[in-house]
Each structure stands twice: as C-alpha cells, then as structure tokens.
Amino acid sequence: LARAHGDRFQLRHVLAEPTTGWVGSTGMLTRDVVTRELAALGCGEDCEYFLCGPEPMMLEAKAALTERGVSEARIREE
C-alpha cells in the first residue's frame, strides 16, 4: 500500500516489546497510545483507517478513532 499510494499512505509501527536500538513508538496499543499516534498523523476528515490485530487492541483503536469523531464509514477492520 505504501508503494502504491506514496504520500497518501502512512504506516505507523508501535512495538510493545521493542528490540535494542528501536527508535519508533513503543507501548501496548491502548486508547491513549492510539490517540498519541493519531495526533502525530495530522490526518484530516478524508482519511481512512485500517485496523488489524488482536481484538482488544482493535477495540481500543476503534474507541480512540470514534472519540476523535472519525465516522464508522472511514474505519476498516480485518
């Protein structure tokens, strides 16, 4: 997706158990962590969000998105 959509696609990795030398975001993907990552994206109303992972993580991510006013139509779940 990143290759196909260039600057229109952003992939963010957040590692709960990062290896030595990891410089990206860390922590369990809780609502607070998702909210922090969303703020870093600076995404407007036309963004779509794709969620994939364990159900508890997806529930937290979806809650963070809906708290920010993202409509259900812009949230995709696998």
Side-chain angles (χ1 to χ4, degrees):
L1 287 173
R3 281 191 299 266
H5 300 285
D7 63 339
R8 293 180 33 217
F9 180 84
Q10 293 185 48
L11 174 64
R12 310 269 310 174
H13 291 283
V14 179
L15 303 183
E17 298 176 13
T19 58
T20 303
W22 173 255
V23 295
S25 294
T26 61
M28 295 297 291
L29 211 49
T30 62
R31 194 174 311 191
D32 291 338
V33 172
V34 172
T35 298
R36 179 188 74 210
E37 292 299 309
L38 289 170
L41 288 174
C43 194
E45 292 181 12
D46 61 339
C47 290
E48 291 188 51
Y49 300 87
F50 296 83
L51 307 178
C52 178
E55 186 175 5
M57 180 202 73
M58 289 178 55
L59 290 171
E60 288 290 298
K62 190 170 184 178
L65 288 165
T66 56
E67 284 176 3
R68 290 178 61 89
V70 175
S71 73
E72 290 266 338
R74 298 215 173 271
I75 302 171
R76 310 278 190 243
E77 298 178 66
E78 182 177 290

